[in-house]
Amino acid sequence: MKSSCTRLKVWRSYSRSHSDPLAGLRAPSLRTAVLLLALLCFPQQVASDSDEAILTDWDIWKSTNGISYEDMEDMQRKVIWEGNKQQIEDNNQGFLMGSKHFTMAMNKYGDLTAQEFQVLQGAMIDAQLAKRGKTVASRKLRNSAKKFDGMVIDYRQMGYVTEVKDQGYCGSCWAFSTTGAIEGQIFKKTGQLISLSEQNLVDCSKSYGTYGCSGAWMANAYDYVVNNGLESTITYPYTSPCYYDSRLAVAHIKDYRFIPKGDEQALADAVATIGPITVAIDASHSSFLFYSSGIYEESNCNPNNLSHAVLLVGYGSEGGQDYWLIKNSWGPSWGEGGYMRLIRDGKNPCGIASYALYPIL
């Protein structure tokens, strides 16, 4: 998943920032910043002084996200950005007309091509190579979950879920999906919510079949934790090369189990009785990249094209439509505060039940 995108090159060259993955990108010019401030404070004066001083939506977007380009690349990126903006506007027009059930919004990924978007998807490994293991019986899950039928499950409200994190321009979603499920199980067992180190997994689990920023399947990540344990983000932040110290490990798991492939009822039963679940989905569409709010439904989703790992933290219903509640790792500015509601219709939308598993402490 190599790319010539300037921002991706810059991202690989500087230390990753947990709180602001765009912090190392080229800053906008002082002139642009001054013009933006003037436009906000004295719009009429700026407009009358010079037509050149009026900032376009493209200029404002770049300034807001701390991005600047040389003239030729600026023109190329603007074309990409305008194409994405048009898709967003078309979708939202459909939302107003009642043909769409979710909205889209421009975000920090607005000038990425579809190829560059793949960098954000860290499960982009051949599905034939996907490691699977022991599968829990759907009957066992159903018997345990009957008492939860008709209820809304939201583990955010129950203390199981850490803050929304940001993987930056690294295909490490698999690590965030894995740590999220283990965090939930530790809270369930001990009452303590500990943020676990994704960087620990990214750096140190390659001998178990993971590929760092180039993606992985989550079972391989679980194998690493079974055999080594995992540090917290306090002792191993999302910034550094591998320096794992087993004495600092705060999380250990004994094993993990898969949910029966493609079985949404079994997945719902697992969510209700076990806690947050590690899942992979097809997120390869611009509608996912720019999702903003509502219940997401993408007719072109392929349940066999699992491109992105997320954490399933609950489910519910709104206006007669059932949905899954998933936690992404693209920061709180994406979606509904970093979360998405995905349609739950029994047809395995976007492959949410195709590769689902959970840890056993």
Side-chain angles (χ1 to χ4, degrees):
M1 293 183 287
K2 294 181 179 178
S3 168
S4 61
C5 176
T6 300
R7 291 195 294 165
L8 302 187
K9 286 183 178 178
V10 174
W11 164 256
R12 295 188 183 102
S13 68
Y14 79 97
S15 296
R16 285 161 292 210
S17 166
H18 175 81
S19 60
D20 184 7
L22 299 178
L25 304 179
R26 289 174 292 170
S29 67
L30 178 61
R31 178 176 180 274
T32 300
V34 171
L35 287 175
L36 179 59
L37 180 61
L39 182 62
L40 294 174
C41 298
F42 310 103
Q44 294 181 343
Q45 181 64 37
V46 172
S48 63
D49 285 349
S50 170
D51 291 339
E52 183 184 19
I54 299 177
L55 297 181
T56 65
D57 289 344
W58 167 241
D59 293 323
I60 294 172
W61 179 85
K62 287 188 296 180
S63 181
T64 299
N65 290 284
I67 297 169
S68 65
Y69 295 110
E70 298 300 328
D71 291 345
M72 183 58 70
E73 187 173 8
D74 188 88
M75 294 173 60
Q76 295 170 342
R77 289 291 163 185
K78 183 180 180 182
V79 171
I80 297 169
W81 182 86
E82 288 177 338
N84 288 329
K85 183 171 180 286
Q86 187 60 56
Q87 291 186 58
I88 292 169
E89 292 174 350
D90 290 345
N91 176 88
N92 292 346
Q93 182 63 32
F95 177 79
L96 293 174
M97 298 295 291
S99 61
K100 295 285 187 178
H101 301 290
F102 65 94
T103 65
M104 294 165 61
M106 181 56 69
N107 57 34
K108 60 188 178 185
Y109 307 123
D111 64 346
L112 297 186
T113 65
Q115 182 180 3
E116 291 162 349
F117 172 33
Q118 292 179 4
V119 175
L120 301 176
Q121 303 173 62
M124 295 289 287
I125 308 297
D126 189 344
Q128 299 301 318
L129 302 177
K131 176 181 173 63
R132 302 193 73 92
K134 298 175 183 177
T135 300
V136 64
S138 56
R139 179 179 297 178
K140 179 181 179 180
L141 291 172
R142 182 86 286 265
N143 289 337
S144 299
K146 285 181 180 178
K147 62 182 178 180
F148 295 100
D149 287 351
M151 293 178 59
V152 171
I153 302 294
D154 187 344
Y155 284 108
R156 298 175 302 178
Q157 307 300 322
M158 300 161 67
Y160 282 59
V161 185
T162 57
E163 77 283 358
V164 173
K165 304 176 184 180
D166 196 330
Q167 70 190 68
Y169 291 92
C170 168
S172 55
C173 59
W174 56 274
F176 289 82
S177 178
T178 299
T179 59
I182 300 174
E183 289 166 351
Q185 290 306 300
I186 290 176
F187 178 82
K188 183 178 183 179
K189 183 176 182 178
T190 69
Q192 292 183 303
L193 185 62
I194 303 172
S195 179
L196 299 178
S197 174
E198 292 80 21
Q199 194 70 51
N200 188 170
L201 283 174
V202 170
D203 292 340
C204 308
S205 64
K206 293 177 183 177
S207 62
Y208 288 83
T210 67
Y211 299 89
C213 284
S214 296
W217 290 104
M218 293 80 83
N220 301 83
Y222 277 132
D223 283 337
Y224 172 83
V225 183
V226 168
N227 289 282
N228 297 276
L230 203 59
E231 289 190 41
S232 72
T233 55
I234 293 176
T235 61
Y236 203 140
Y238 195 60
T239 55
S240 305
C242 186
Y243 58 86
Y244 172 70
D245 185 342
S246 61
R247 295 170 299 179
L248 299 177
V250 296
H252 296 86
I253 66 174
K254 296 178 181 178
D255 206 347
Y256 54 90
R257 292 289 184 273
F258 278 86
I259 310 301
K261 186 177 180 180
D263 190 336
E264 275 198 78
Q265 183 60 60
L267 182 58
D269 292 340
V271 172
T273 58
I274 295 168
I277 305 293
T278 295
V279 297
I281 58 175
D282 177 9
S284 61
H285 310 279
S286 60
S287 58
F288 189 97
L289 179 62
F290 298 111
Y291 166 80
S292 178
S293 66
I295 298 177
Y296 180 75
E297 181 178 10
E298 173 55 68
S299 60
N300 293 317
C301 262
N302 182 348
N304 297 312
N305 179 40
L306 304 177
S307 61
H308 187 51
V310 293
L311 183 67
L312 180 57
V313 299
Y315 57 75
S317 182
E318 180 181 82
Q321 178 61 65
D322 294 336
Y323 62 81
W324 297 106
L325 179 62
I326 64 174
K327 179 187 181 185
N328 202 359
S329 51
W330 292 352
S333 63
W334 179 88
E336 296 180 329
Y339 293 84
M340 167 186 273
R341 286 178 292 159
L342 170 68
I343 188 171
R344 179 164 63 102
D345 58 6
K347 300 177 183 178
N348 193 18
C350 296
I352 193 167
S354 294
Y355 190 88
L357 62 163
Y358 62 90
I360 299 175
L361 266 56

